[in-house]
Amino acid sequence: MFAKSIDDTSSRFVAAHVAALPKSGIRDFFAIASQMRDAVSLGIGEPDFVTPFGIREAAVRAIEKGRTSYTDNRGLRSLRDAVSRYVAANYGPEYNPDTEIIVTIGVSQALDHTLRAILNPGDKVLYHDPCYVSYAPSVALCHAQAIAVPTRAENDFALTPEALRAAWQPGCKALLLNFPTNPTGATASRELLAQIAKFAVEKDLLVISDEIYSELTYDGAHTSIAALPGMRERTVFLHGFSKAFAMTGWRIGYACGPAGVMDAVLKIHQYGIMCASIVSQEAALEALANGRDDMLRMRDKYRERRDLIVRRFNELGLPCHLPRGAFYAFPRVSVTGQNSLDFAMGLLRAERVALVPGTAFGAAGDGFCRASFSTSYDNIIKACDRIDRHLQTLRR
Ligand code: PMP
């Protein structure tokens, strides 16, 4: 262990807008959980499956063949071709692999670079709340302002055009969407997306659509807003391999969009990153070529677990809407009289079950907790039995 430096005043060098960022609410919580023996965690934000064997094999083969170099800044041509075909077949829009697709280090980098490419200081970005923890900080890192559009459990956390209109203000330049949504599992029908698209056109917004969970849609078909008339030219479609193909550790994703925006994204990417790892790109190529059956097998497992956890939460008296995508349930815990953090802390200490307080995902998450069902069926049963016991103690 290193001794903590007693006169570390280096924080004076930190930029004001970075110092002002809150620390991720999830990390603190899991630091506590990880110290506990026998804890059951429903806090995980990634697949509990390892990457399918064939994909791992492809990466091993690439290394054995000496595929160890940089690639084209935009990514391997073969992968961009495959992405172009995959997106056209599954989402609709056709993207030119030469000018409209960039392979990135996950959706994380794709999102960061898209925001940096479009935002001037003071610009505003609308996003739906609750949402993935990175959105508002990523906007703040661009010296821009994130404007939350609250969504509500009463309508399954759908993003309504009314809420969008109420939140809009002069200076809004972009709209950041994530369907299916982390943490609520909300999806958007074609009809709803058409209304959102109309709003985006009316207000001349660029739409950044994070569709990382799209293959993990359990009810109905997933529609991309990029596929709606007039939207391709004002949408940046973000996707990756982390969730559907259980490839979080490979750090691989992509951004597709109109060339004008993608050229700007490429400038940041080529100076800051150069390219995604060639080994991960080879693995991603295999995922698109032959990974579908494995992906569907994992999706079916998530669906079974979803049905179990949602049924159990409702039986236990924690009202929980049916998440139609992603792998998170978002039960209302305020029925216990406690707020999200107190409930999650109390449950963790009393029963060693880790849920993520809903407030980690934004103010509209208060009163809820996120429970990931990216864990085994047995773990879900164990966690629900413990939650049952905790609720009985709270009722006494
Ligand atoms: N977007 C959402 C909505 C996410 O939940 C996550 C990961 N939890 C990411 C992006 C980051 O994905 P990647 O691993 O591709 O960077």
Side-chain angles (χ1 to χ4, degrees):
M1 279 296 265
F2 290 103
K4 196 170 182 302
S5 167
I6 40 170
D7 57 354
D8 182 353
T9 57
S10 61
S11 61
R12 71 187 186 283
F13 295 117
V14 175
H17 70 299
V18 177
L21 283 182
K23 279 202 296 170
S24 165
I26 305 190
R27 295 282 155 232
D28 285 355
F29 197 75
F30 284 99
I32 302 173
S34 66
Q35 302 298 317
M36 287 185 170
R37 277 195 12 222
D38 189 29
V40 182
S41 179
L42 301 186
I44 313 297
E46 62 178 319
D48 60 318
F49 300 103
V50 294
T51 307
F53 187 74
I55 300 175
R56 285 182 277 147
E57 277 271 291
V60 171
R61 273 198 310 275
I63 293 171
E64 283 175 349
K65 279 194 292 185
R67 303 276 286 155
T68 56
S69 61
Y70 292 134
T71 69
D72 187 295
N73 291 138
R74 291 180 192 269
L76 290 172
R77 176 64 204 226
S78 52
L79 179 56
R80 279 179 285 136
D81 283 344
V83 165
S84 180
R85 284 194 302 273
Y86 185 78
V87 173
N90 293 289
Y91 302 89
E94 290 183 8
Y95 292 102
N96 182 340
D98 287 325
T99 53
E100 297 184 317
I101 298 175
I102 299 176
V103 176
T104 59
I105 302 176
V107 167
S108 305
Q109 188 215 338
L111 172 68
D112 175 71
H113 282 24
T114 306
L115 291 170
R116 285 164 68 188
I118 63 157
L119 295 175
N120 291 308
D123 283 343
K124 294 172 186 164
V125 178
L126 292 158
Y127 70 101
H128 46 115
D129 174 7
C131 72
Y132 177 42
V133 291
S134 290
Y135 289 172
S138 298
V139 172
L141 283 170
C142 297
H143 301 274
Q145 204 182 329
I147 310 284
V149 185
T151 61
R152 306 262 168 247
E154 292 72 56
N155 50 6
D156 292 355
F157 292 96
L159 176 64
T160 63
E162 298 74 38
L164 266 176
R165 280 182 200 285
W168 181 87
Q169 8 179 312
C172 283
K173 187 169 195 178
L175 168 62
L176 180 46
L177 300 177
N178 170 225
F179 298 118
T181 307
N182 173 8
T184 62
T187 54
S189 66
R190 182 175 278 272
E191 294 69 38
L192 180 58
L193 287 174
Q195 293 177 45
I196 296 172
K198 187 164 168 263
F199 170 80
V201 171
E202 184 186 313
K203 302 295 186 193
D204 193 22
L205 302 172
L206 178 82
V207 174
I208 303 171
S209 187
D210 173 353
E211 303 188 29
I212 191 164
Y213 292 101
S214 49
E215 289 94 340
L216 305 179
T217 297
Y218 308 111
D219 309 290
H222 172 83
T223 303
S224 172
I225 194 164
L228 299 188
M231 291 309 290
R232 186 191 178 288
E233 294 316 305
R234 62 169 66 248
T235 302
V236 178
F237 172 88
L238 307 181
H239 200 6
F241 298 84
S242 287
K243 311 292 171 165
F245 295 100
M247 292 178 68
T248 47
W250 301 81
R251 313 306 306 122
I252 189 87
Y254 49 91
C256 305
V261 173
M262 297 314 287
D263 278 352
V265 172
L266 183 66
K267 278 192 204 167
I268 305 171
H269 175 77
Q270 71 191 7
Y271 292 129
I273 303 291
M274 295 215 279
C275 64
S277 146
I278 188 170
V279 178
S280 299
Q281 292 192 53
E282 293 280 6
L285 194 51
E286 174 66 18
L288 292 184
N290 296 310
R292 189 168 173 78
D293 287 351
D294 285 316
M295 185 265 284
L296 293 177
R297 186 178 47 77
M298 292 187 274
R299 186 189 66 187
D300 289 347
K301 283 271 176 256
Y302 292 131
R303 185 195 275 115
E304 278 172 21
R305 298 160 175 188
R306 173 197 71 158
D307 292 346
L308 169 69
I309 202 167
V310 170
R311 179 169 55 73
R312 285 295 308 269
F313 279 149
N314 284 303
E315 283 168 5
L316 294 177
L318 296 179
C320 185
H321 67 283
L322 190 70
R324 297 185 186 281
F327 39 59
Y328 310 105
F330 206 58
R332 188 192 289 278
V333 297
S334 57
V335 289
T336 61
Q338 295 187 325
N339 69 24
S340 309
L341 187 60
D342 290 346
F343 180 82
M345 249 336 157
L347 178 67
L348 185 62
R349 292 200 197 287
E351 291 290 346
R352 303 175 317 287
V353 174
L355 305 182
V356 185
T359 39
F361 308 97
D366 195 20
F368 297 84
C369 280
R370 189 187 79 174
S372 166
F373 45 89
S374 175
T375 186
S376 70
Y377 211 76
D378 287 350
N379 258 351
I380 293 173
I381 293 173
K382 200 181 205 181
C384 290
D385 289 348
R386 291 183 184 191
I387 293 170
D388 187 12
R389 210 159 52 200
H390 186 59
L391 290 171
Q392 288 179 31
T393 314
L394 289 180
R395 282 191 203 110
R396 270 192 218 124

